Amino acid sequence: MVGVIGINSRIFNALAKNGISVFLVSQAASENNTSFAVRNGDADHALEVLREEFNAELQSGTLSEITAEHNLATVAIVGENMKHTTGIAGKLFNTLGRNGISVIACAQGASETNISFVIELKDLRKALNVIHDSFFLSDTQVLNLFVVGVGHVGSNLLSQIHAQQENLLENKALRLRLVGIANSHTCVFDREGLDTENYQARLAESDIEATPENIRNGVIGMNIFNSVFVDCTASQEIAALYADLLSHNINVVAAKRLQRRRTMSHISS
């Protein structure tokens, strides 16, 4: 495709003739490929149209295979004052990266009033939350907590969180939200937040067994932003989840009880 005149014209003319609307286009300066976004329902039709249009080039190997990726979402940030503010794109992609959201394609017009990007559909809610938190609620930082183990250490931690929530929000602009909890028997997950004082009742009502697999699937499956996994157990099975959690951009805090050994020395003369 590099240096070949008329490729993009043929692409978009073929799509337009077949009633397929394109709402995002991304092409690198290398001109090696052109990516564009269409509705999920139009994806298969678009493939048929383009493969027919470029059949000769595909047969000769001039063009590589034309492919489609399904179950994606397009997000756009729009603002008139964006063109007067430096670092918007850097802040945007840094925020997404820190939360493990991969950007598949992006586009920004010369007017600098819009940045559009494509992500996996499963990350859409998480992306909207982190962008909203970063750009519109920057005076308040939200941490979503998963606490495993409510024995002596865990219960005291939750008591401290409950007692300090208002103070942290008012003086530190920090909102701690308990979105998951587990004891030795059951676990509970709630995106809207659990009561840090009456969590025992929710655990007693839960029918989700607190196995390492269920805990892992619950935490990762929630796919929530700014998440922190707090392990207040001494379980090696729970500790074995750390690597997987970290690979999904979930922060891990481990409470470990240290045992001090006293040594007595005798000096003889």
Side-chain angles (χ1 to χ4, degrees):
M1 291 175 57
V2 179
V4 179
I5 298 174
I7 290 289
N8 286 338
S9 174
R10 290 175 61 189
I11 291 174
F12 299 118
N13 280 334
L15 294 173
K17 288 178 182 178
N18 287 272
I20 300 171
S21 178
V22 175
F23 52 85
L24 180 144
V25 180
S26 177
Q27 183 177 37
S30 64
E31 300 183 40
N32 283 316
N33 64 73
T34 296
S35 301
F36 56 90
V38 300
R39 294 184 307 166
N40 278 328
D42 289 334
D44 291 335
H45 187 201
L47 280 179
E48 293 176 5
V49 168
L50 293 177
R51 285 171 179 168
E52 181 178 351
E53 172 69 26
F54 292 100
N55 181 60
E57 288 83 355
L58 291 170
Q59 293 295 327
S60 66
T62 306
L63 289 182
S64 301
E65 179 58 56
I66 302 171
T67 60
E69 293 186 44
H70 296 269
N71 298 315
L72 305 178
T74 303
V75 180
I77 295 182
V78 183
E80 181 63 30
N81 290 326
M82 285 171 54
K83 60 185 176 182
H84 304 300
T85 306
T86 59
I88 291 292
K91 181 178 180 180
L92 169 64
F93 295 121
N94 181 54
T95 298
L96 295 172
R98 283 190 291 105
N99 285 275
I101 301 169
S102 178
V103 175
I104 297 167
C106 64
Q108 181 176 17
S111 65
E112 299 183 46
T113 59
N114 180 304
I115 300 176
S116 302
F117 57 93
V118 178
I119 58 175
E120 292 188 47
L121 182 60
K122 66 179 180 63
D123 290 328
L124 177 59
R125 181 172 184 173
K126 184 179 182 181
L128 293 176
N129 283 336
V130 298
I131 293 170
H132 191 262
D133 185 59
S134 179
F135 285 88
F136 304 108
L137 297 176
S138 56
D139 57 333
T140 302
Q141 179 72 35
V142 178
L143 289 183
N144 292 297
L145 305 179
F146 299 92
V147 177
V148 178
V150 290
H152 180 72
V153 175
S155 60
N156 274 281
L157 171 63
L158 291 170
S159 295
Q160 291 180 43
I161 291 174
H162 179 76
Q164 293 295 322
Q165 275 182 319
E166 291 186 10
N167 177 53
L168 290 171
L169 184 59
E170 182 178 349
N171 296 311
K172 301 294 184 181
L174 177 63
R175 185 187 303 275
L176 297 181
R177 182 164 56 198
L178 180 66
V179 294
I181 191 167
N183 57 19
S184 58
H185 303 292
T186 58
C187 51
V188 178
F189 302 97
D190 190 332
R191 183 179 289 273
E192 301 305 319
L194 298 161
D195 189 339
T196 52
E197 188 175 30
N198 300 315
Y199 58 87
Q200 294 286 10
R202 292 290 301 273
L203 284 170
E205 296 169 355
S206 176
D207 58 358
I208 305 175
E209 188 179 354
T211 64
E213 182 180 7
N214 285 343
I215 291 172
R216 174 205 173 277
N217 293 341
V219 174
I220 295 176
M222 191 171 286
N223 198 25
I224 200 167
F225 73 108
N226 291 350
S227 53
V228 183
F229 181 85
V230 185
D231 179 12
C232 297
T233 75
S235 170
Q236 293 298 319
E237 292 180 323
I238 297 300
L241 300 176
Y242 295 172
D244 202 5
L245 296 173
L246 290 168
S247 71
H248 286 81
N249 289 81
I250 298 167
N251 300 285
V252 173
V253 176
K256 184 177 181 181
R257 186 176 300 175
L258 299 178
Q259 181 179 5
R260 294 184 178 179
R261 294 183 179 181
R262 295 183 178 180
T263 302
M264 297 184 65
S265 299
H266 298 274
I267 301 177
S268 301
S269 60

